[in-house]
Amino acid sequence: MKLHVAGFSERGAALALKIADAFGGSAWAPEKYAGGGVLPLGASLAEWAGKRFADSQAVVFISSCGIAVRAIAPHIGGKERDPAVIAADELGKNVISLLSGHIGGANELALRIAALTGGRAVITTATDVNGITPPDSWAVKNNCAIENLSAAKRVAAELLSGVEVGVAVTDELVPAPYPVTLWLRPKDLTVGVGCKRGIKPELLRRCFSDFMEDSGYSSLSVTAFASVDRKKEETAIIKLAEFYKVPFETFSAEELMALPGVFSPSPAAAAAVGTDNVCERAALAASRGGYMVRLKTKYAGITFALARKRSR
């Protein structure tokens, strides 16, 4: 976990280090309390918090809630992208989930830290205190992307009222089955990409969007783009993966050719990169034992194929 913990006293720094060591993060404190594995905060606390919001999954303050709130206030962007934020006293008696309790995982992290310190987790989200599993927490735990966050809020409110709700968990683009449907997209699709050298990133992205729409699958379910290793420096594919915030994986021609199955042969690809098919084989390789859901689709100088990971 990309976790950063800041303490502001001798005891606070010691607890910050204990938490960081337990969860594989980094501990920070003012210069006078740094050392022995604790990094100096250096810049102002607000600047430190801004950097941590950009590079962290979780930020923990061993401080009062007031210090934590003032530090993070300028950097709060939205529950779909803010890291988990926790505030705990320097004895670890109270571990408070402050921000991103569900999607960011702050509620669960507060429980884990409290178990470590022997304290109590303070959680105030309505669904949790009423013993109801919130849909956004369920989505995170089950590796699903939330397509329409506004519906998640409405569904949570209806759950609290005892009303039946509509949730659709699918990677397919299908008509909404309920008057208000919360769409959860499983992260289970891998996309194989082949393209000519120097293809324009904008063209590749437009073609990919058309490919997914025509295939009938949600791009939010894509968990990786893949190609042959000769394409590992291809700017357009790199930027496509960055846009969708998923990895770009490459495989050697030998790895791709070793995959069992029947693939659409391309003598030109075999001559150029050493494998008779790039997109289908790469999609299947990235699925780690999955299966094809759409074979090679051609655009001008571009090919895509789609595979799905098997459910565990």
Side-chain angles (χ1 to χ4, degrees), residues 164-240:
E164 291 187 357
V165 299
V167 179
V169 185
T170 178
D171 56 16
E172 296 184 37
L173 299 175
V174 295
Y178 312 108
V180 177
T181 301
L182 171 62
W183 292 100
L184 302 183
R185 302 300 188 181
K187 300 290 283 184
D188 62 355
L189 299 178
T190 55
V191 180
V193 188
C195 66
K196 290 183 177 179
R197 182 182 300 177
I199 203 84
K200 296 293 184 183
E202 298 80 8
L203 175 61
L204 187 66
R205 190 190 303 175
R206 286 198 303 271
C207 291
F208 172 69
S209 179
D210 180 80
F211 168 74
M212 292 300 291
E213 183 176 354
D214 189 59
S215 300
Y217 292 96
S218 171
S219 59
L220 292 177
S221 287
V222 172
T223 189
F225 291 93
S227 192
V228 66
D229 59 4
R230 293 275 292 271
K231 290 294 181 180
K232 64 183 178 181
E233 303 296 333
E234 193 67 52
T235 300
I237 308 178
I238 293 171
K239 287 187 175 295
L240 185 65

Side-chain angles (χ1 to χ4, degrees), residues 108-140:
E108 183 175 346
L109 181 59
L111 289 167
R112 295 174 65 192
I113 292 175
L116 175 71
T117 64
R120 64 167 185 162
V122 180
I123 295 170
T124 58
T125 43
T127 47
D128 295 84
V129 300
N130 282 281
I132 296 171
T133 301
D136 42 6
S137 287
W138 189 94
V140 171

Side-chain angles (χ1 to χ4, degrees), residues 59-62 68 84-88 95-99 106-107 109-110 113:
V59 184
V60 180
F61 293 85
I62 310 301
V85 179
I86 305 286
V95 183
I96 305 165
S97 173
L98 282 183
L99 189 70
N107 290 355
L109 181 59
I113 292 175

Side-chain angles (χ1 to χ4, degrees), residues 8-47:
F8 303 92
S9 65
E10 185 174 353
R11 283 180 173 174
L15 182 55
L17 184 59
K18 180 178 180 179
I19 294 170
D21 286 345
F23 296 99
S26 301
W28 303 75
E31 187 78 38
K32 63 188 293 187
Y33 303 119
V38 179
L39 301 170
L41 281 168
S44 73
L45 181 56
E47 291 176 352

